Amino acid sequence: MIGEKTDNPMIREAAGAILELNADEKLRQQIFDRQSAINDYNSDMTRSRAEGRKVRRTLSANKSTR
């Protein structure tokens, strides 16, 4: 669509490449799976950091009461 409406050859080439990627179901699934794995990792790290901060606060509070 956009590739048909422009005179810029780079945009035409990029639009064609995007259409090819979208047409390849296997590649699209691999990209989706990779992004899902990255999102899962980031969620796990965020949860672990929050848990670590909570433990650190608890340990610090226990030290100050001794």
Side-chain angles (χ1 to χ4, degrees):
M1 208 186 279
I2 196 166
E4 298 168 359
K5 295 181 180 181
T6 185
D7 292 330
N8 188 326
M10 291 182 75
I11 293 177
R12 281 183 187 256
E13 185 178 341
I18 290 171
L19 287 175
E20 285 181 35
L21 287 175
N22 286 337
D24 187 354
E25 182 66 32
K26 186 176 179 182
L27 179 60
R28 187 172 49 206
Q29 187 61 44
Q30 287 175 339
I31 292 168
F32 177 80
D33 291 344
R34 178 170 163 68
Q35 189 60 49
S36 292
I38 291 168
N39 291 343
D40 290 346
Y41 172 81
N42 288 335
S43 293
D44 289 344
M45 290 302 292
T46 299
R47 190 177 318 110
S48 295
R49 286 184 185 116
E51 209 171 291
R53 284 191 292 270
K54 183 179 177 182
V55 168
R56 186 175 60 212
R57 282 192 300 268
T58 303
L59 292 175
S60 294
N62 288 343
K63 277 186 176 180
S64 64
T65 59
R66 288 183 185 174

